[in-house]
Amino acid sequence: MEVIGMTYVFIGVIILLILIYFLCGLRIVPQNYVGLVETLGKYSRTVKAGLVFIWPIFQSLRKVSLALQPLEISKYRIITKDNAEITTSLTLNYLVTDAYKYFYNNTDSVESMVQLIRGHLRDIIGRMELNEALGSTSEINAQLSKAIGDLTDIYGIQVVRVNVDELLPSPEIQKAMDKQLTADREKTAAIARAEGEARNIELTTKAKNDALVATAKANAEAVKTQADADAYRIDKLQQALDKAGDGYFRNQSLDSFNQLAQGPNNLVVLDKDEITDLGKIPAAKKIWDQSKD
């Protein structure tokens, strides 16, 4: 009976050890991951997310994320076509498309990808002058995305987005650019002031000329109006004199002689035909004064 009992205990222990061994071989691959199963250090198969079994001791499981990964490439220096030094930094998003290539084709696929991107960026900016590079960030992003394209596929990686965050010239160049910018602004301000003063002089001169022209026109119009009025009065005077009878002028002549006789200079010599015309003078003056009123 003791032998049988020992046998059952032994079998039970064996079963327990097998169960423990089996349980130790269970692995869980999370969502959006894949597993690389290695047998005695050699790649065996790729398993998807879920519960998988591997043989403990003989096999191991490496988990590789397929999710989108952000990466920031620290600042580094690049020389432009005109030998100016600028500092740049990038950010990118990548994901693993082939876990086997990502893990086995390179000792560090991410670092290799970064070096590839840096090399292409140096080539792109190295063919540009400083001012062109500083003003062409969008174009540089487009060229960089096109350049790296499918090249990172050898690492099992796909770069979804790459962006040049900043391009900064060296401090010495930045100071020179600031001075140039200040000089350009001062030049623009001086030109604007000069143009403003010239425009002000132009407007003032034009206003004075317009005023002189308006005054001249007004004076000319006043003279013309006065001349028209005088002509009108003369015409009316002539009409009145033409309508007056000879008796009226004789009476006016007698009044004129009376006034001359009362004055200190009372000697008047006239032809007999001009005596009657003498009366037209006070009559004309009287009519002229009435026309003014």
Side-chain angles (χ1 to χ4, degrees):
M1 293 294 294
E2 290 183 6
V3 175
I4 296 174
M6 290 294 294
T7 302
Y8 284 140
V9 171
F10 179 75
I11 294 174
V13 170
I14 295 299
I15 293 174
L16 179 61
L17 291 175
I18 292 173
L19 182 60
I20 293 173
Y21 180 82
F22 180 79
L23 292 176
C24 290
L26 294 178
R27 297 287 189 275
I28 295 177
V29 179
Q31 178 69 30
N32 215 19
Y33 277 74
V34 294
L36 300 175
V37 178
E38 296 177 346
T39 302
L40 298 178
K42 183 180 179 180
Y43 169 78
S44 176
R45 69 184 190 278
T46 300
V47 294
K48 297 182 179 180
L51 183 64
V52 297
F53 175 77
I54 62 172
W55 296 104
I57 302 175
F58 303 102
Q59 292 183 330
S60 61
L61 179 68
R62 298 182 183 275
K63 300 174 184 178
V64 179
S65 174
L66 302 180
L68 193 67
Q69 301 286 339
L71 179 64
E72 180 178 355
I73 301 178
S74 59
K75 296 181 180 180
Y76 64 101
R77 297 176 180 178
I78 299 178
I79 303 300
T80 62
K81 183 179 179 180
D82 50 352
N83 294 322
E85 182 182 285
I86 60 176
T87 302
T88 182
S89 62
L90 301 98
T91 55
L92 59 88
N93 295 96
Y94 73 93
L95 53 82
V96 176
T97 56
D98 190 321
Y100 179 88
K101 291 181 179 179
Y102 174 76
F103 195 81
Y104 294 109
N105 284 8
N106 202 295
T107 55
D108 192 337
S109 294
V110 174
E111 181 60 27
S112 297
M113 174 189 66
V114 169
Q115 292 177 2
L116 176 67
I117 292 174
R118 283 181 171 178
H120 279 290
L121 185 58
R122 284 194 181 96
D123 179 63
I124 293 171
I125 295 180
R127 289 184 275 109
M128 295 181 174
E129 294 186 354
L130 177 62
N131 291 335
E132 181 185 2
L134 295 177
S136 306
T137 305
S138 299
E139 182 181 350
I140 293 173
N141 288 335
Q143 291 187 30
L144 185 58
S145 298
K146 182 179 179 181
I148 60 178
D150 299 329
L151 295 179
T152 55
D153 183 61
I154 60 176
Y155 309 127
I157 296 175
Q158 178 185 355
V159 178
V160 178
R161 184 189 67 85
V162 61
N163 184 68
V164 177
D165 291 331
E166 60 181 9
L167 291 172
L168 298 176
S170 63
E172 293 77 12
I173 296 177
Q174 185 65 52
K175 290 179 181 178
M177 292 176 65
D178 291 341
K179 291 181 180 179
Q180 181 64 38
L181 182 59
T182 301
D184 290 342
R185 288 177 177 174
E186 292 177 351
K187 178 181 177 182
T188 302
I191 293 174
R193 286 195 299 269
E195 290 178 349
E197 292 174 357
R199 181 60 177 168
N200 183 51
I201 293 173
E202 179 184 355
L203 293 175
T204 302
T205 303
K206 184 178 183 302
K208 290 180 179 179
N209 292 337
D210 291 344
L212 292 174
V213 172
T215 302
K217 288 182 178 180
N219 292 335
E221 188 67 24
V223 171
K224 181 178 181 301
T225 302
Q226 183 64 41
D228 292 341
D230 292 343
Y232 177 78
R233 293 190 186 97
I234 293 171
D235 184 61
K236 289 297 183 180
L237 174 61
Q238 186 63 45
Q239 292 178 8
L241 292 175
D242 292 341
K243 292 180 181 179
D246 293 338
Y248 175 76
F249 292 119
R250 282 195 294 271
N251 292 333
Q252 293 295 323
S253 297
L254 293 175
D255 291 340
S256 297
F257 276 116
N258 290 332
Q259 292 177 4
L260 288 172
Q262 294 175 3
N265 300 319
N266 51 12
L267 177 62
V268 178
V269 179
L270 292 172
D271 186 82
K272 64 178 181 178
D273 295 330
E274 296 177 348
I275 295 176
T276 305
D277 294 336
L278 184 61
K280 295 181 179 181
I281 297 175
K285 181 178 185 303
K286 183 176 181 182
I287 295 172
W288 179 270
D289 293 338
Q290 289 177 353
S291 66
K292 288 185 176 180
D293 296 337

